[in-house]
Amino acid sequence: MTETDIAPPRRKRAPSKRSLETRARILDAAERLFAQGGFDGASMRDIAVAADVPVALVNFHGGAKEALFDTVVARRAETLARHWLDALESAKADHGPLDLRAVLDCFIRPYLNLAATGGAQWTAYARLIAHVSADERWRPISERCFDPTVAVFVAELIPKFPKAETRRIAGAFVFSISAMLSLATSRWRIEAMAGDSGEATSGLDEWADFLIDFCEGGFRAALAG
Amino acid sequence: MTETDIAPPRRKRAPSKRSLETRARILDAAERLFAQGGFDGASMRDIAVAADVPVALVNFHGGAKEALFDTVVARRAETLARHWLDALESAKADHGPLDLRAVLDCFIRPYLNLAATGGAQWTAYARLIAHVSADERWRPISERCFDPTVAVFVAELIPKFPKAETRRIAGAFVFSISAMLSLATSRWRIEAMAGDSGEATSGLDEWADFLIDFCEGGFRAALAG
DNA sequence: GTCTATATGTAGATAGAC
DNA sequence: GTCTATCTACATATAGAC
């Protein structure tokens, strides 16, 4: 952690193809299990079984358990941050200065698209973020992986509400983030609540406009004047 | 669990005063530690130390660890449900049929008041709910402790949006719940983001109207027409 | 009801053969 | 890089004296 990277060995030659596949299988399995039960909800042994490798390989590729957890969270966070910032930049390039709705769209739609098309791993990742956010032990991870990108979006929103206190704007944005995550993790519950029995009857992308409407309306109502 | 209650012994006489105090200390300590690190984040030993009792007493009063966790979550959930339903009933008694804002107020304000006046345990409880919601193992607890009350509020909202699908209404309400919980668990982060260095500069109750504005505006914008 | 001592399991991590 | 075998620590839970 004090060093340049978290990767397992000091790379001397390129890692073999098989090694890379093994490493990916381990990280994917860890992500899935950590998403279900949090850091302590999955043992190194569980992860080894899920990845179909012996336990020692989990330590070899992932390092100690805490380092493995950190790697798993950080890996996808980087991808996500890139999608968010790219969406912002290309929207600006295409349409000039962005209005409130466009900024919210740049935050909400990239993740929902990943979750709708990229399948289960991106949905699991929302649960993982929920675990990280719920547990005080992982504050450093949140601060390092998510806060910088969130700060960019908040900075983007500040000039749109010149009369509002900054913390109100940040508050409304945090409300929007949590609504987005709850949609990803609890769509099944929402639809069950409405009596839509059993399986999810709609894709995440069907909900995108609805969620953006909600957040935009919330911002305008709470920060009006 | 297959029996009438979770309380430790078959009550024959009234439990002694000291016994009740011991039990309360154990449940409070368990709540605090479970809120920080989730079910696995706190060991029975940690709880015993925090409550200043020997380990065996934790088992005696709280039962096995899963039963203890369940008891801790359920205890405050009952209080909360009562506050919610009371707010709804007395608002109806005072003002007749409720509009959207009044219903949201009945859901949001009781919890924020408890957290603002009742101190740290109610704030910790929001973190505990976040853990329960994030972890698939505890779905049965959510369904038993929270879903029935949520269903009452959703039913209250349905006639206010006759043209909207029920699952949209349920969705908007889940967004509102998650925003409320994120306010309780992450107010420090919101204020840090705005540069308000260090300690929380405002009480939770200062945020109540803001949050209600946000949710009301979200509902109206997303379910308009 | 309370506490000490302990039974039994499983956790994370690694040494060392291949 | 991979795998087997194992070390050490700590978890939950309870038996049994007081």
Side-chain angles (χ1 to χ4, degrees), chain B:
Chain B
M1 254 15 173
T2 65
E3 309 187 298
T4 56
D5 209 351
I6 316 169
R10 282 290 191 219
R11 59 168 172 282
K12 306 188 165 193
R13 301 282 179 279
S16 75
K17 187 183 170 191
R18 181 169 172 225
S19 170
L20 285 176
E21 283 171 359
T22 303
R23 183 181 147 90
R25 271 218 317 288
I26 290 169
L27 292 183
D28 286 348
E31 180 175 65
R32 210 169 338 114
L33 296 186
F34 283 145
Q36 280 169 29
F39 179 77
D40 302 284
S43 71
M44 297 293 269
R45 283 173 158 73
D46 295 336
I47 294 166
V49 169
D52 195 34
V53 297
V55 250
L57 272 195
V58 180
N59 276 281
F60 182 79
H61 287 286
K65 195 182 181 186
E66 296 214 355
L68 173 62
F69 187 74
D70 196 284
T71 303
V72 163
V73 176
R75 180 179 61 149
R76 230 169 259 272
E78 283 170 26
T79 307
L80 200 45
R82 193 158 24 79
H83 278 257
W84 277 328
L85 299 176
D86 284 355
L88 213 48
E89 278 197 38
S90 73
K92 278 187 196 173
D94 290 357
H95 306 96
L98 303 179
D99 62 7
L100 168 64
R101 187 180 183 86
V103 175
L104 292 173
D105 198 291
C106 289
F107 191 82
I108 289 172
R109 210 171 295 271
Y111 173 74
L112 293 185
N113 278 343
L114 287 169
T117 66
Q121 294 276 29
W122 278 104
T123 305
Y125 192 65
R127 299 193 80 83
L128 186 54
I129 297 177
H131 270 110
V132 171
S133 304
D135 198 318
E136 298 189 346
R137 284 175 291 175
W138 314 124
R139 272 191 200 182
I141 296 184
S142 309
E143 287 173 5
R144 181 166 46 83
C145 293
F146 302 110
D147 285 6
T149 308
V150 169
V152 170
F153 277 81
V154 171
E156 200 71 37
L157 290 169
I158 287 175
K160 317 238 173 298
F161 299 98
K163 294 185 197 162
E165 290 174 281
T166 299
R167 58 191 184 130
R168 300 296 184 188
I169 297 169
F173 194 65
V174 168
F175 297 164
S176 304
I177 296 172
S178 68
M180 182 181 84
L181 293 174
S182 76
L183 176 60
T185 59
S186 308
R187 193 171 90 250
W188 66 273
R189 184 185 291 183
I190 292 169
E191 308 205 333
M193 224 176 269
D196 297 0
S197 58
E199 299 311 297
T201 56
S202 59
L204 261 186
D205 39 3
E206 279 187 45
W207 282 91
D209 290 310
F210 181 78
L211 174 59
I212 294 170
D213 286 342
F214 184 91
C215 295
E216 184 189 4
F219 260 92
R220 291 201 192 286
L223 297 168

